[in-house]
Amino acid sequence: MSSTFGHLFRVTTFGESHGAAVGVLVDGMPPGLNVDADAVQIELDRRRPGQSAITTQRQEADRVEILSGVFEGVSLGTPITMLVRNTDQRSKDYEALKEVFRPGHADYVYFEKYGVRDHRGGGRSSGRETVGRVAAGALAKGALATVGVSLVGGTVRVGSVVASGRDWEQVELNPVRCPDADAARLMQAAIERARDDRDSLGGVVEVVARGVPAGWGDPTMDKLDARLGAAMLSIPATKGVEIGGGFAMTERRGSETNDVFDGKPQQMARAKGGTEVRAIEGRHDPCICPRVVPVAEAMMALTLMDAWLRQRALRGREK
Amino acid sequence: MSSTFGHLFRVTTFGESHGAAVGVLVDGMPPGLNVDADAVQIELDRRRPGQSAITTQRQEADRVEILSGVFEGVSLGTPITMLVRNTDQRSKDYEALKEVFRPGHADYVYFEKYGVRDHRGGGRSSGRETVGRVAAGALAKGALATVGVSLVGGTVRVGSVVASGRDWEQVELNPVRCPDADAARLMQAAIERARDDRDSLGGVVEVVARGVPAGWGDPTMDKLDARLGAAMLSIPATKGVEIGGGFAMTERRGSETNDVFDGKPQQMARAKGGTEVRAIEGRHDPCICPRVVPVAEAMMALTLMDAWLRQRALRGREK
Amino acid sequence: MSSTFGHLFRVTTFGESHGAAVGVLVDGMPPGLNVDADAVQIELDRRRPGQSAITTQRQEADRVEILSGVFEGVSLGTPITMLVRNTDQRSKDYEALKEVFRPGHADYVYFEKYGVRDHRGGGRSSGRETVGRVAAGALAKGALATVGVSLVGGTVRVGSVVASGRDWEQVELNPVRCPDADAARLMQAAIERARDDRDSLGGVVEVVARGVPAGWGDPTMDKLDARLGAAMLSIPATKGVEIGGGFAMTERRGSETNDVFDGKPQQMARAKGGTEVRAIEGRHDPCICPRVVPVAEAMMALTLMDAWLRQRALRGREK
Amino acid sequence: MSSTFGHLFRVTTFGESHGAAVGVLVDGMPPGLNVDADAVQIELDRRRPGQSAITTQRQEADRVEILSGVFEGVSLGTPITMLVRNTDQRSKDYEALKEVFRPGHADYVYFEKYGVRDHRGGGRSSGRETVGRVAAGALAKGALATVGVSLVGGTVRVGSVVASGRDWEQVELNPVRCPDADAARLMQAAIERARDDRDSLGGVVEVVARGVPAGWGDPTMDKLDARLGAAMLSIPATKGVEIGGGFAMTERRGSETNDVFDGKPQQMARAKGGTEVRAIEGRHDPCICPRVVPVAEAMMALTLMDAWLRQRALRGREK
């Protein structure tokens, strides 16, 4: 079940990087919406390797074929399966990897998990798996647009170069996809230096959603922040995620962020309209961290427990 | 469904902060394991308010009652429901909140989402909802211990005070639950200053799992990192999560972290034992960020699409 | 996960027949609907043992307590947990069963499945588990009534006595809950004879839904018929289910039932209103059974495969 | 989500009868098992139209292509997607159906549900959707065989002709797939008469699983009987299902079937081996039907409630 994302808009990717194809099955697309294969292709082209000197030179046309769920350009409300054939696999490049596990890759844990693996490239752990995500995302973007929700995103940090501006129109105008043209040039230079050293650089990507109505989120376990966190951390090589102010909020007091504490007079929205200034009496924690510790341990324990039982289902044994 | 965490060890919390009770239903506990109500109580006592001068003075005994799924101290493999009655609610403190929405709280979005709310405290958005998580986590910890997996956690930052040491034995010896005794004193002082100013401070909590076998994680959408991220970001007031090296990795080149790039000779584990030094030829991205942008947008779009459809199911209308 | 029914209106029952309590957690109740504890109690009273001479004499008041999700008589949209304490358990009646497995009960398979069991009564396999279902059903009935959907049900066969009439007003007027007053008297007599012989009788229950809009069902795997079938076969001791005409349809040709074949002129609804008589040319099976055989085998194989993997997750081993 | 069956062995079919392809995505196949494309093809050939004079003359080669999840004939533990291209669609046969709804077909409810439909044949409601089920079933059969579980099935009734014998070797030797050679001839004659009248006949299919270990089933909501019932009733045109003795059990007393009542001395298995004869004292219902009525109503209400909320998610409005 680990290849599936979402409950009502359920997206399952499939395919190994060096198998016949990669793709995605989308179940839950509302019926009667335009599904434009060209719009899917545009997003795939943004993801495609070989776009510029600073991406991998693997060349794949990545032409999408829509196999089901669409009739005369309109969604039927039934599962939409989209397929991209693998063409430029050069599996022989990987033949030498049959007997070794690459450091920093999933090779070893795959073997430990499954007891068998497709050694030709990363299999499912390859970035190529994201083809299906991007194709499904194109459908989601199109559907969200019908209710006024749109997304922008860009690279806001590479190595030690940090973007200061957020001019989203810039993103597709530079190969780094940075919303700050000046920073983009510095980032590009840094990446080229790393490439020439046969090395690589990490960075930070920022995504912004506009027009999301209040109330779309759910509370508690499956709150929107948690789902966004899972969404982002499921992307290969991602190691951190921040929502809103993120870690920087740690530096600020509650009275500055309005996030935790009451007691000081604050401006409040009235249910019937307008605002008023009022102090709330209540009993609150001046720092919640000590009491979060057992909660964080609990959540990690729940996560690992689920992982353990999944592995038992998969392999049929302890370990 | 938003109150549920996990698939095979499925944990659903219930209860409002000012209703009759809070609790949890755990489905999927393997049968034949010891379930010790005292062990659950110990964890709840760690989470309990009123433990020290630096936590809220709300006093709740938080006595847990196990209603099902356990017979003679052993799990039956059937759903385990655990209940904690609310006793010190002081709902009248909140009567004044009936007509206003507190800033920085979930009051307003709850009303937008549900069209109705329990104005007495946060309802489900209250930290009190975590009682059920901690009770379930105690069961998970006990079960994980039978296969050699254990957890430790602590507060590693409060405001601008950062712990440098990691002496986990210290955690329960200071009220901040910090694994660094010196930092703990500074943290406590900072919290007391904020409290005296009727203000509050944020911080960072760190959790470490020991003894997790390679292979428990799943790949792609539901990978272990993604689930841990969701687990942590589902905790009230959490705004960021880092796995392993986290954001600091951005500062380092791939050759230092072994995370992205190949081409330089590296030491590799051999499937049949031993290691060898080898350079891998392949085609890779010197910086993956430009190509991550469309993937991150896609993942956000998938998340919002699911949220939208959930809200339609809940309310039966657009918006 | 086997105690859960439904996806968006997710109902999980809990509790053993001789434990502290039985109950249910309902997640997905739309907010803003009246939740009447009395309406829940009325349904529980219909299910309660000891109602008449022809039901078990176990006496349980079965008073329901609503623990969460309801505020001032209105649903909050959050999980609703309902609890019924067990009071008249007479567990000592069952002490003798510790070392034996009753024939025709779940005792043996429980032990094989879990390796441990609560020998006092059936545990989760007891009819007492249905307390939670009926409480949740009362909420569902109330919610469905707001969109004009209502249900009636009754006993339409006991042993060889078959009801011919369907006067649903009769159902609560006789202890057999038969919608045919004459048949009810014969059924009651037959049951009393069986009881006096220390024996028992089976029968058939019929349920009718009124006002269900066209289009609520889903197609294929999770079609409404399949879900109703699962719903009914999940009731203890149920061994068959028929939808609509059921097995009697086997006796009739397609031209009488309009279910399978085309080619003869038939009256058809026009999308734009009105009807027309037309023959459809197409290629169809004069009897679909030969081709259903591999499909039925496939569906049984899928079911068993899932059961196998669940058991591996539960017990962590083959077999 | 309605195209998915199973939780741990999760099978999702896709494709319309007159679209580009039909197929299936199987998530949860254990790794390291042989996956034989030929074995899949053999099952598809059994399902294929045009096999004999008594099946539809639509001719489709139905060649399966395995796109993912298999490497060198062995399952990788990752999603397996299988594809069958549609070739002999003759969509023009259906052009006339654009403006009318065929009686006894899903045409009308599809239009009510989705507001849009592929009028060329049944779309997802076509029997062609079962191609994906059979392909997935072939994988399941192969996996189950590794733990000694096997399946047989056949047609045991056509119209009023009932098979008396169960010689499963006969099934593939006659076009009706009947395990009774004499009955098969009568069935075939009856089908040919119906076909010559441009009419059709219904029937009953029986499937038997061998070697299933005690304990694979789950209790309560998701019990094995319920899942099998859902599995069978999800097959197009199926209107009834019986487990074990089925409706015929209604004719017999509990003492004959051991299914309900205690009080008479019975032979019981001892946990420590051997048997003993004992009477169990307890309090039981001489006929459970009156108390099943509210439970059956509850289960139908839960089913409809879930269907309602799904439709709200799909269409974003009431009705």
Side-chain angles (χ1 to χ4, degrees), chain A residues 290-312:
Chain A
R291 292 179 61 210
V292 165
V293 171
V295 179
E297 288 173 17
M299 292 312 298
M300 181 177 271
L302 299 186
T303 306
L304 292 175
M305 193 70 199
D306 204 53
W308 175 30
L309 299 187
R310 286 182 188 215
Q311 184 65 354
R312 297 213 303 198

mmCIF file of all heavy atoms in Angstrom, chain A residues 290-312:
data_model
loop_
_atom_site.group_PDB
_atom_site.id
_atom_site.type_symbol
_atom_site.label_atom_id
_atom_site.label_comp_id
_atom_site.label_asym_id
_atom_site.label_seq_id
_atom_site.Cartn_x
_atom_site.Cartn_y
_atom_site.Cartn_z
ATOM 1 N N PRO A 290 8.195 20.339 27.087
ATOM 2 C CA PRO A 290 8.341 19.194 28.003
ATOM 3 C C PRO A 290 7.188 18.200 27.888
ATOM 4 O O PRO A 290 7.394 16.986 28.019
ATOM 5 C CB PRO A 290 8.365 19.858 29.383
ATOM 6 C CG PRO A 290 8.785 21.272 29.135
ATOM 7 C CD PRO A 290 8.252 21.625 27.780
ATOM 8 N N ARG A 291 6.003 18.718 27.611
ATOM 9 C CA ARG A 291 4.854 17.817 27.498
ATOM 10 C C ARG A 291 4.697 17.261 26.087
ATOM 11 O O ARG A 291 3.954 16.294 25.884
ATOM 12 C CB ARG A 291 3.580 18.537 27.934
ATOM 13 C CG ARG A 291 3.572 18.838 29.430
ATOM 14 C CD ARG A 291 2.320 19.572 29.835
ATOM 15 N NE ARG A 291 1.153 18.793 29.562
ATOM 16 C CZ ARG A 291 -0.040 19.303 29.253
ATOM 17 N NH1 ARG A 291 -0.194 20.616 29.159
ATOM 18 N NH2 ARG A 291 -1.060 18.525 29.010
ATOM 19 N N VAL A 292 5.392 17.847 25.133
ATOM 20 C CA VAL A 292 5.364 17.286 23.770
ATOM 21 C C VAL A 292 6.258 16.052 23.679
ATOM 22 O O VAL A 292 6.015 15.159 22.859
ATOM 23 C CB VAL A 292 5.786 18.351 22.737
ATOM 24 C CG1 VAL A 292 6.130 17.729 21.393
ATOM 25 C CG2 VAL A 292 4.674 19.390 22.558
ATOM 26 N N VAL A 293 7.280 15.998 24.537
ATOM 27 C CA VAL A 293 8.231 14.882 24.455
ATOM 28 C C VAL A 293 7.518 13.522 24.469
ATOM 29 O O VAL A 293 7.702 12.712 23.537
ATOM 30 C CB VAL A 293 9.306 14.973 25.554
ATOM 31 C CG1 VAL A 293 10.147 13.705 25.599
ATOM 32 C CG2 VAL A 293 10.196 16.198 25.318
ATOM 33 N N PRO A 294 6.660 13.231 25.463
ATOM 34 C CA PRO A 294 5.993 11.919 25.412
ATOM 35 C C PRO A 294 5.053 11.763 24.226
ATOM 36 O O PRO A 294 4.864 10.652 23.734
ATOM 37 C CB PRO A 294 5.218 11.861 26.746
ATOM 38 C CG PRO A 294 5.169 13.260 27.246
ATOM 39 C CD PRO A 294 6.357 13.967 26.701
ATOM 40 N N VAL A 295 4.501 12.865 23.747
ATOM 41 C CA VAL A 295 3.619 12.774 22.588
ATOM 42 C C VAL A 295 4.428 12.434 21.333
ATOM 43 O O VAL A 295 4.034 11.582 20.521
ATOM 44 C CB VAL A 295 2.828 14.086 22.381
ATOM 45 C CG1 VAL A 295 1.921 13.982 21.156
ATOM 46 C CG2 VAL A 295 2.014 14.426 23.625
ATOM 47 N N ALA A 296 5.576 13.085 21.185
ATOM 48 C CA ALA A 296 6.429 12.812 20.018
ATOM 49 C C ALA A 296 6.943 11.374 20.059
ATOM 50 O O ALA A 296 6.993 10.688 19.024
ATOM 51 C CB ALA A 296 7.588 13.800 19.964
ATOM 52 N N GLU A 297 7.298 10.914 21.253
ATOM 53 C CA GLU A 297 7.707 9.511 21.368
ATOM 54 C C GLU A 297 6.564 8.586 20.972
ATOM 55 O O GLU A 297 6.757 7.585 20.280
ATOM 56 C CB GLU A 297 8.123 9.198 22.804
ATOM 57 C CG GLU A 297 9.435 9.808 23.233
ATOM 58 C CD GLU A 297 9.703 9.600 24.728
ATOM 59 O OE1 GLU A 297 9.049 8.737 25.337
ATOM 60 O OE2 GLU A 297 10.556 10.327 25.263
ATOM 61 N N ALA A 298 5.359 8.942 21.442
ATOM 62 C CA ALA A 298 4.195 8.112 21.114
ATOM 63 C C ALA A 298 3.978 8.046 19.615
ATOM 64 O O ALA A 298 3.764 6.973 19.040
ATOM 65 C CB ALA A 298 2.944 8.655 21.809
ATOM 66 N N MET A 299 4.062 9.199 18.955
ATOM 67 C CA MET A 299 3.809 9.218 17.515
ATOM 68 C C MET A 299 4.870 8.425 16.762
ATOM 69 O O MET A 299 4.579 7.755 15.769
ATOM 70 C CB MET A 299 3.738 10.654 17.001
ATOM 71 C CG MET A 299 2.529 11.435 17.479
ATOM 72 S SD MET A 299 0.911 10.599 17.316
ATOM 73 C CE MET A 299 0.817 10.387 15.536
ATOM 74 N N MET A 300 6.115 8.499 17.231
ATOM 75 C CA MET A 300 7.135 7.680 16.575
ATOM 76 C C MET A 300 6.871 6.196 16.818
ATOM 77 O O MET A 300 7.033 5.364 15.916
ATOM 78 C CB MET A 300 8.538 8.053 17.058
ATOM 79 C CG MET A 300 9.618 7.230 16.368
ATOM 80 S SD MET A 300 11.301 7.693 16.827
ATOM 81 C CE MET A 300 11.669 8.951 15.624
ATOM 82 N N ALA A 301 6.444 5.873 18.028
ATOM 83 C CA ALA A 301 6.146 4.468 18.335
ATOM 84 C C ALA A 301 4.999 3.958 17.465
ATOM 85 O O ALA A 301 5.044 2.832 16.945
ATOM 86 C CB ALA A 301 5.806 4.310 19.820
ATOM 87 N N LEU A 302 3.976 4.784 17.268
ATOM 88 C CA LEU A 302 2.860 4.362 16.418
ATOM 89 C C LEU A 302 3.325 4.138 14.986
ATOM 90 O O LEU A 302 2.912 3.186 14.317
ATOM 91 C CB LEU A 302 1.749 5.423 16.435
ATOM 92 C CG LEU A 302 1.109 5.738 17.786
ATOM 93 C CD1 LEU A 302 -0.058 6.697 17.597
ATOM 94 C CD2 LEU A 302 0.649 4.483 18.504
ATOM 95 N N THR A 303 4.201 5.015 14.524
ATOM 96 C CA THR A 303 4.721 4.900 13.160
ATOM 97 C C THR A 303 5.510 3.609 12.979
ATOM 98 O O THR A 303 5.333 2.877 12.003
ATOM 99 C CB THR A 303 5.629 6.107 12.846
ATOM 100 O OG1 THR A 303 4.901 7.306 13.093
ATOM 101 C CG2 THR A 303 6.084 6.083 11.395
ATOM 102 N N LEU A 304 6.368 3.338 13.935
ATOM 103 C CA LEU A 304 7.211 2.145 13.825
ATOM 104 C C LEU A 304 6.388 0.869 13.983
ATOM 105 O O LEU A 304 6.670 -0.155 13.350
ATOM 106 C CB LEU A 304 8.332 2.202 14.867
ATOM 107 C CG LEU A 304 9.361 3.305 14.611
ATOM 108 C CD1 LEU A 304 10.352 3.357 15.761
ATOM 109 C CD2 LEU A 304 10.085 3.069 13.280
ATOM 110 N N MET A 305 5.399 0.931 14.824
ATOM 111 C CA MET A 305 4.534 -0.240 15.029
ATOM 112 C C MET A 305 3.846 -0.606 13.719
ATOM 113 O O MET A 305 3.777 -1.787 13.346
ATOM 114 C CB MET A 305 3.494 0.142 16.083
ATOM 115 C CG MET A 305 2.718 -1.006 16.628
ATOM 116 S SD MET A 305 3.762 -2.049 17.657
ATOM 117 C CE MET A 305 2.739 -3.528 17.636
ATOM 118 N N ASP A 306 3.350 0.411 13.051
ATOM 119 C CA ASP A 306 2.686 0.172 11.772
ATOM 120 C C ASP A 306 3.687 -0.377 10.740
ATOM 121 O O ASP A 306 3.369 -1.291 9.982
ATOM 122 C CB ASP A 306 2.076 1.487 11.269
ATOM 123 C CG ASP A 306 0.917 1.265 10.316
ATOM 124 O OD1 ASP A 306 -0.013 0.522 10.676
ATOM 125 O OD2 ASP A 306 0.933 1.816 9.216
ATOM 126 N N ALA A 307 4.884 0.186 10.750
ATOM 127 C CA ALA A 307 5.917 -0.272 9.812
ATOM 128 C C ALA A 307 6.263 -1.740 10.074
ATOM 129 O O ALA A 307 6.437 -2.538 9.143
ATOM 130 C CB ALA A 307 7.165 0.601 9.939
ATOM 131 N N TRP A 308 6.354 -2.072 11.344
ATOM 132 C CA TRP A 308 6.679 -3.455 11.726
ATOM 133 C C TRP A 308 5.608 -4.430 11.202
ATOM 134 O O TRP A 308 5.923 -5.435 10.571
ATOM 135 C CB TRP A 308 6.802 -3.535 13.247
ATOM 136 C CG TRP A 308 7.004 -4.898 13.802
ATOM 137 C CD1 TRP A 308 7.631 -5.970 13.217
ATOM 138 C CD2 TRP A 308 6.561 -5.358 15.087
ATOM 139 N NE1 TRP A 308 7.605 -7.048 14.074
ATOM 140 C CE2 TRP A 308 6.962 -6.706 15.216
ATOM 141 C CE3 TRP A 308 5.890 -4.746 16.150
ATOM 142 C CZ2 TRP A 308 6.688 -7.453 16.373
ATOM 143 C CZ3 TRP A 308 5.622 -5.489 17.295
ATOM 144 C CH2 TRP A 308 6.022 -6.820 17.414
ATOM 145 N N LEU A 309 4.358 -4.098 11.449
ATOM 146 C CA LEU A 309 3.283 -5.004 11.035
ATOM 147 C C LEU A 309 3.185 -5.084 9.512
ATOM 148 O O LEU A 309 2.886 -6.133 8.950
ATOM 149 C CB LEU A 309 1.960 -4.560 11.646
ATOM 150 C CG LEU A 309 1.922 -4.554 13.175
ATOM 151 C CD1 LEU A 309 0.521 -4.265 13.672
ATOM 152 C CD2 LEU A 309 2.415 -5.879 13.750
ATOM 153 N N ARG A 310 3.461 -3.982 8.824
ATOM 154 C CA ARG A 310 3.491 -4.037 7.363
ATOM 155 C C ARG A 310 4.567 -4.993 6.875
ATOM 156 O O ARG A 310 4.370 -5.740 5.922
ATOM 157 C CB ARG A 310 3.798 -2.644 6.789
ATOM 158 C CG ARG A 310 2.645 -1.693 6.870
ATOM 159 C CD ARG A 310 3.079 -0.386 6.232
ATOM 160 N NE ARG A 310 2.105 0.656 6.417
ATOM 161 C CZ ARG A 310 1.850 1.604 5.524
ATOM 162 N NH1 ARG A 310 2.536 1.642 4.405
ATOM 163 N NH2 ARG A 310 0.946 2.520 5.763
ATOM 164 N N GLN A 311 5.707 -4.917 7.515
ATOM 165 C CA GLN A 311 6.801 -5.783 7.084
ATOM 166 C C GLN A 311 6.467 -7.249 7.368
ATOM 167 O O GLN A 311 6.812 -8.127 6.580
ATOM 168 C CB GLN A 311 8.113 -5.351 7.767
ATOM 169 C CG GLN A 311 9.356 -6.122 7.338
ATOM 170 C CD GLN A 311 9.723 -5.916 5.865
ATOM 171 O OE1 GLN A 311 9.000 -5.278 5.121
ATOM 172 N NE2 GLN A 311 10.831 -6.493 5.457
ATOM 173 N N ARG A 312 5.756 -7.498 8.473
ATOM 174 C CA ARG A 312 5.320 -8.879 8.740
ATOM 175 C C ARG A 312 4.369 -9.354 7.647
ATOM 176 O O ARG A 312 4.429 -10.514 7.213
ATOM 177 C CB ARG A 312 4.626 -8.970 10.100
ATOM 178 C CG ARG A 312 5.523 -8.636 11.265
ATOM 179 C CD ARG A 312 5.233 -9.399 12.514
ATOM 180 N NE ARG A 312 3.879 -9.285 13.016
ATOM 181 C CZ ARG A 312 3.535 -9.593 14.254
ATOM 182 N NH1 ARG A 312 4.466 -9.988 15.134
ATOM 183 N NH2 ARG A 312 2.291 -9.501 14.652
#
